[in-house]
Amino acid sequence: MPDASAEAPGMARAADAAALEVATAGSEVAVPVEPATADPSVSGADSVAVTEPPPLPMPTEPGGSAIERAWFEGGAELGERVWLTRRAAYERGVWSLDGAARALLATPGVTLERAEAAVSLAPDLPAAHMEWARAVWLVGESPLSALRAVGSALLAYARHPEGALWLAGSLLALLAAGLVSGGMLSLAAASSIAWPHAAHDLGDSVSRRMPAFGRVALLGTLLVAPVALGEGLLGLAASLVAVAAIYATRRQGIALAVACVAIVAGAYPVAELAGRTLGALPGDPVARAALATSRGLVSPEDAARLAAAPEDDLFAQQGLARLARREGNLGRADALYQKLLERRPNDAVLLTNAANVRLHLGHMESAFDLYRRALEVDDSATTLFNLSQAYGRAFQVENLAQALELAQAQNGDLVAELTRLQGTQPEGFVVDLPLPLRDLLLSSLANSDGKPWAAEFRTRFAPGWMGTSAAAAAALLLLALLLGLGIGARLDASCRCVRCGRRVCPRCHEIAARADICSPCNKLFNQPELTDRVLRIARISALRERGARIERLVSGVSIAIPGMAGVLARRPLLGFWGALCFSIALGALIGREGAVPDPLVAGAAGPLAFFCVAALAGAGYALCVGAALAARGRA
Ligand SMILES: [Zn+2]
Ligand SMILES: [Zn+2]
């Protein structure tokens, strides 16, 4: 495959550098980008423009690392080249070589062979699994194996640091937007049934002779007043809460409070968490550089950042040790690992990798000691496999067999894979462990600040005072809710006649025996002896027709307007859940590309994950509407 060997190196660099560009500059997070290089000797190193702008730096000088050498100069056959590259990468603790996989996938019309090679080079890269699924599908293999590949793409997110943070951050951003818009929708739905009464009662407080349009205009002015004052949609939410609360039953009051809590939670803590997650790696160049030493191609900038990081930065020191190991500088790697072990004497990954270096240096006793210490902490199959190799090198055949057996019992698949990679290599083939992601991600998350992203997110719906702090927003919404409830407790509210829908107002009309029935209906139904029989029958059948018409209208509105189903069925909480599910489903479809651009990790797996979320939320919405319609049918 000559074209691959000719194009791939450039593409690998372009893809990795582009990924870096996207991860830093492309996100909406304000990311403090460090000066490109701290070390002038590095900035002066060979920088070769691979494509048109921007000029991209070479990851390391060609031939600088055994991994790059295997990839750039490996066998002519793709399979052989992949095998050589993987072997070199596993030996140096790079178990997922994203850059090489991206290079393979960058050419249009990816063949099954290439897709398989990409997955085998970068088993943690969701995009590679998706290309594999596509290739399997196109080749016409069973749809089940394509589906399985799709499933493995979604699972790969959990193992990919950038992918996991990108997906988690984007989903949190979706949740934040869903909580805000779902809360607003349900407030709008809950208050919309109170608007006619509010308009009438408000008009009465001015003049009972006020025309209907004047009352509507007055209410409308009051509703939008907070928007005019610059508080945006969040201000509108406050006035909607106040109006809805005046006419709310206890249940409706609880649903209103839940909607307010959802809005504040979405606008503040959830949005800040989303910002923190999305900005964690882009805002932590040292962690990113340390990660690069364990997951791909290392740029001169990465190397310079690691070298410039303070000595107490554990991840930077680990990155430097890995870099030294990759570049074949075993003495330096050994010194760095020993220093790291002084600070973390019980770190199984450090112990294993330090043992490997010692083995390569020929210090057998020390290597055995480190392997044993590592196994005391974590008896991983990889360490057992390495130990068996060390025994092999020391000609201790019995111990070799025993360690290998234990390794196989731990993880047979992995040991088979390592044995296959080992091939006929006579010398001990030992495998470094990759950088543990959990600690790195947690530390990046802890150092990340999500507030700028959340503030930017809020400018869209809360440009005013309510957008400045969670306490301000919560206080104003609570005040609106309490104000509404207080007015509701004192107000002689008007309502609609339960029989005919005519307005019944204690101030404007003569009140019948019951407050919720107009006097003609009261006569018709409760004092039949006072009405003409023929007229009464005609009137009742007209009212029945009206009832059937209204039922049809209610069903239509319940289905067409999110949040209305629950409100009309007198299940206000169901209305809130429906509105929330609807918002999340719609948001997932609109924002299927993620909250920030995909850092060349997700590929087609990104939109797929969002389609899955949209399908789930859509099903939840249908369930809410169905339950509300059923509840109304029973009533
Ligand atoms: Zn009536
Ligand atoms: Zn009135």
Side-chain angles (χ1 to χ4, degrees), residues 497 499-500 518 521:
C497 168
R499 294 287 186 180
C500 68
C518 67
C521 287

Side-chain angles (χ1 to χ4, degrees), residues 437-460:
L437 298 180
R438 203 177 142 267
D439 294 349
L440 181 102
L441 293 188
L442 286 180
S443 123
S444 282
L445 278 172
N447 294 330
S448 171
D449 182 14
K451 287 199 165 70
W453 190 90
E456 163 81 28
F457 167 70
R458 278 194 300 274
T459 53
R460 294 163 206 186

